[in-house]
């Protein structure tokens, strides 16, 4: 039978409670109703790791769903679905993030992750608590670069125990589960690494969501610019009024400019996300517009807004509408 177990940790007081492994149908976990929860998932051929963290970091929960290989794979995914559905029932979920399938040369691992992706996409559509939440994925090299402590030595990047060790350094309350971990792949620890890596890559220190996405290289980004008075942005209806009756068509979403990446990577990540995005361009990036658009980069009373669309998602009339709204616009192509 498929079994699930793990630990509940309270990092701020360095306490933990073991969740002994038991059959999935007998497992119960009651998340607090007044907290908002973030979920990370890591999949291997024999185990699925689930990490849950409250947004206030009061609780971190690691779960390992261990597959009985004597049973058909469909039974494992059935159990996984009902476990996930039962855990989140009636709770507030903000983010679900998982590892993006690795390049095809790693065939077995890639197939496992693609299979998980397919199931998750299906479940997100039918589990009510996942409606409207942020669902994303990122490559292992991205999240590991933000989690693994490189000062501990070389050749730790592909060592699963290294991820677990570094997470214990961050959250000592995880040490008990680490020392008694019953499996070899440390999947629940990797699930937490995926979640924390995503939070580091996609949110700033104030909790604002930044531009972040795995870049898709073949599309064209359609980028529009508008210089506005800084005080205009204090009006909550300013963007809606800027678009007028077309606002309901485009519904641009604000994302903070991601200072971890250069200008063009911000553009390409934004349009890769398939979300119509706008941001405020940092003053350090404004010199490029000085001669082309005649702006004064030193004018602190004004800011430059950037609106980023995926050109292939725009109809001809939508493209014309954007050109009518924004005098300044350009196409951005290819890799950056």
């Amino acid at each position: 039978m498929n079994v699930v177990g793990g630990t509940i940790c309270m990092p701020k007081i360095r306490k933990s409670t073991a969740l002994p492994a038991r059959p999935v149908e007998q497992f119960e976990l009651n998340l607090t109703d007044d907290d908002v929860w973030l979920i990370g998932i890591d999949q291997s051929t024999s185990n699925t790791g689930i990490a849950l963290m409250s947004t206030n970091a009061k609780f971190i929960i690691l779960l390992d769903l261990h597959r009985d290989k004597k049973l058909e794979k469909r039974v494992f995914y059935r159990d996984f679905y009902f476990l996930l559905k039962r855990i989140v029932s009636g709770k507030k979920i903000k983010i679900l993030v998982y590892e993006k399938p690795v390049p095809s040369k790693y065939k077995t691992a890639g197939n496992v992750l693609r299979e998980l992706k397919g199931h998750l996409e299906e479940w997100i559509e039918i589990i009510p608590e996942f409606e409207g939440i942020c669902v994303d994925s990122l490559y292992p090299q991205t999240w590991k670069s933000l989690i693994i402590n490189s000062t501990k030595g070389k050749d730790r990047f592909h060592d699963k125990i290294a991820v677990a060790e570094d997470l214990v350094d961050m959250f000592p309350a995880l040490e008990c589960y680490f020392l008694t971990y019953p499996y070899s792949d440390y999947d629940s620890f990797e699930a937490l690494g995926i979640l924390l890596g995503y939070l580091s890559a996609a949110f700033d220190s104030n909790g604002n969501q930044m531009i972040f996405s795995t870049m898709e290289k073949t599309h064209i980004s359609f980028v529009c610019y508008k210089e506005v008075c800084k005080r205009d942005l204090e009006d909550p209806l300013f963007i809606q009024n800027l678009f007028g009756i077309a606002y309901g068509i485009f519904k641009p979403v604000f994302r903070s400019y991601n200072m971890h990446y250069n200008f063009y990577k911000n553009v390409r990540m934004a349009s890769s996300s398939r979300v119509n995005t706008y941001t405020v361009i940092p003053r350090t990036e404004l010199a490029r517009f000085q001669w082309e658009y005649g702006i004064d980069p030193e004018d602190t009373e004004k800011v430059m807004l950037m609106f980023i669309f995926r050109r292939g998602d725009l109809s001809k009339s939508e493209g014309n509408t954007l050109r009518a709204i924004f005098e300044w616009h350009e196409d951005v192509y290819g890799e950056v």
Side-chain angles (χ1 to χ4, degrees), residues 75-93:
V75 177
F76 174 78
Y77 279 111
R78 181 201 65 190
D79 284 351
F80 186 8
Y81 167 72
F82 283 109
L83 173 66
L84 198 58
K85 186 175 185 291
R86 194 161 66 244
I87 288 173
V88 304
S89 178
K91 309 306 176 186
K92 301 172 205 169
I93 312 300

Side-chain angles (χ1 to χ4, degrees), residues 22-301:
R22 61 188 62 191
V24 174
E25 59 272 16
Q26 297 177 17
F27 183 82
E28 294 185 6
L29 178 66
N30 296 314
L31 301 181
T32 52
D33 291 327
D34 55 343
D35 285 311
V36 178
W37 293 90
L38 317 173
I39 302 174
I41 296 177
D42 180 62
Q43 178 86 316
S44 69
T45 56
S46 61
N47 210 51
T48 294
I50 304 171
L52 303 107
M53 184 171 72
S54 57
T55 52
N56 59 11
K58 184 178 178 181
F59 296 102
I60 291 177
I61 301 170
L62 300 188
L63 300 177
D64 284 280
L65 174 59
H66 187 64
R67 177 186 169 194
D68 182 348
K69 291 192 175 181
K70 295 178 183 178
L71 300 176
E72 293 183 39
K73 190 184 295 184
R74 65 174 181 83
V75 177
F76 174 78
Y77 279 111
R78 181 201 65 190
D79 284 351
F80 186 8
Y81 167 72
F82 283 109
L83 173 66
L84 198 58
K85 186 175 185 291
R86 194 161 66 244
I87 288 173
V88 304
S89 178
K91 309 306 176 186
K92 301 172 205 169
I93 312 300
K94 182 178 181 180
I95 291 172
L96 187 150
V97 62
Y98 57 95
E99 189 170 272
K100 194 173 184 68
V102 293
S104 58
K105 65 179 180 179
Y106 303 108
K107 187 174 180 181
T108 300
N111 287 343
V112 168
L113 293 177
R114 278 184 282 274
E115 191 171 45
L116 170 67
K117 178 177 181 288
H119 285 291
L120 286 176
E121 288 175 345
E122 177 186 348
W123 299 343
I124 287 162
E125 294 293 324
I126 59 179
I127 295 177
E129 289 77 9
F130 291 155
E131 183 179 358
I133 71 169
C134 173
V135 179
D136 212 337
S137 60
L138 67 172
Y139 285 120
Q141 59 266 34
T142 301
W143 71 261
K144 287 184 179 182
S145 68
L146 296 166
I147 297 300
I148 290 179
N149 186 346
S150 60
T151 65
K152 289 185 177 181
K154 299 179 180 179
D155 303 322
R156 301 180 77 244
F157 195 83
H158 299 290
D159 186 354
K160 290 179 178 291
I161 198 170
V163 172
E165 289 172 344
D166 292 350
L167 289 171
V168 171
D169 287 345
M170 296 179 202
F171 304 103
L174 296 172
E175 184 176 25
C176 185
Y177 191 51
F178 171 71
L179 294 175
T180 59
Y181 192 76
Y183 310 115
S184 60
D185 285 338
Y186 293 90
D187 291 286
S188 59
F189 284 90
E190 294 227 329
L192 179 59
I194 291 167
L195 176 59
L196 294 175
Y198 178 77
L199 294 177
S200 178
F203 290 83
D204 64 23
S205 58
N206 296 317
N208 300 311
Q209 191 164 358
M210 298 187 293
I211 293 173
F212 177 77
S213 178
T214 301
M215 284 190 292
E216 194 281 316
K217 300 175 182 178
T218 61
H219 73 282
I220 301 172
S221 308
F222 183 65
V223 189
C224 304
Y225 307 100
K226 188 169 185 66
E227 188 180 45
V228 302
C229 292
K230 187 184 293 185
R231 63 177 178 273
D232 289 340
L233 296 182
E234 297 173 5
D235 180 357
L237 296 179
F238 177 75
I239 298 299
Q240 185 172 336
N241 292 335
L242 177 64
F243 279 81
I245 60 174
Y247 179 79
I249 299 173
F250 299 105
K251 295 180 180 177
V253 175
F254 180 76
R255 295 285 185 265
S256 296
Y257 191 94
N258 196 325
M259 299 300 291
H260 296 306
Y261 300 96
N262 64 28
F263 177 84
Y264 285 101
K265 282 190 176 180
N266 271 270
V267 169
R268 299 297 282 164
M269 287 193 299
S271 54
S272 294
S273 71
R274 308 305 286 261
V275 174
N276 294 335
T277 301
Y278 76 99
T279 192
V280 175
I281 301 176
R283 196 156 300 281
T284 54
E285 297 283 359
L286 292 183
R288 70 178 68 241
F289 302 104
Q290 182 174 4
W291 304 113
E292 187 169 3
Y293 300 138
I295 70 165
D296 178 5
E298 303 303 321
D299 187 348
T300 58
E301 296 301 314

